[in-house]
């Protein structure tokens, strides 16, 4: 209650960048404390949650399509992070911000997986890492913005990472 607008701005930036903003909003709901926040903070966090909820639905559809593509091509894979964390690590996928799709595949399936992604419109993105390869949709199909709720927007680019080994 003692935060001024500048302090709330810094706190919200930190909550966003740490991935805790939506958990914070949910916890305030559970304990009945949302009303103690300034109106602009309530509005901001509510919009972030609503945007992320739509984002999760979009990610779910995209994930299902990717899984079907890999299954159809006979590619064995394990989904890393993302929906694989629900419910053990994250009770509700709408509380977590997910920025990409991570798949662990066997190295001998890599060429087939890349071919499937390219046929579906994904393009390779150069990375400096040697344990994974990143594919993205063309820029026109994604929004690369950090404006208000940009971090939670369903239009934010979601790369597909093909991991051929687990990282340290």
């Amino acid at each position: 209650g003692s935060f001024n607008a500048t302090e709330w701005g810094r706190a919200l930036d930190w909550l966003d960048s740490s991935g805790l903003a939506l958990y914070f909003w949910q916890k305030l709901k559970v304990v009945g404390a949302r009303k103690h926040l300034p109106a602009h903070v309530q509005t901001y966090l509510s919009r972030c949650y609503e945007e992320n909820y739509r984002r999760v639905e979009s990610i779910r559809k995209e994930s299902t399509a990717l899984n079907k593509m890999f299954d159809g091509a006979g590619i064995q894979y394990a989904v890393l992070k993302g929906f694989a964390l629900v419910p053990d690590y994250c009770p509700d996928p709408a509380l977590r911000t997910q920025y990409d799709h991570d798949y662990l595949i066997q190295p001998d399936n890599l060429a087939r997986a890349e071919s499937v992604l390219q046929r579906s419109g994904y393009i390779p993105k150069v990375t400096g890492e040697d344990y994974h390869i990143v594919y993205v949709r063309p820029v026109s199909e994604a929004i690369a913005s950090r404006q208000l709720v940009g971090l939670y927007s369903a239009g934010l680019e979601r790369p597909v990472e093909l991991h051929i080994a687990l990282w340290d």
Side-chain angles (χ1 to χ4, degrees), residues 17 58 125 127 136-137 142 148 160:
S17 64
S58 178
K125 180 179 177 180
T127 67
V136 296
R137 292 268 187 196
L148 179 63
V160 176

Side-chain angles (χ1 to χ4, degrees), residues 121-139:
Y122 288 86
I123 55 175
K125 180 179 177 180
V126 177
T127 67
E129 306 293 335
D130 60 358
Y131 63 85
H132 74 282
I133 297 158
V134 179
Y135 276 82
V136 296
R137 292 268 187 196
V139 176

Side-chain angles (χ1 to χ4, degrees), residues 62-121:
E62 189 174 54
S63 182
T64 298
L66 288 165
N67 293 348
K68 285 182 182 179
M69 288 183 338
F70 291 150
D71 288 341
I75 298 167
Q76 292 182 336
Y77 59 89
V79 176
L80 304 174
K81 305 185 300 184
F83 292 119
L85 299 175
V86 177
D88 297 322
Y89 174 78
C90 174
D92 178 356
L95 297 177
R96 185 177 179 276
T97 49
Q98 179 177 338
Y99 296 109
D100 59 11
H101 298 279
D102 293 278
Y103 288 89
L104 177 62
I105 61 170
Q106 295 177 343
D108 60 342
N109 282 293
L110 183 59
R112 218 170 349 152
E114 289 184 290
S115 176
V116 166
L117 289 171
Q118 289 175 10
R119 283 195 311 266
S120 298

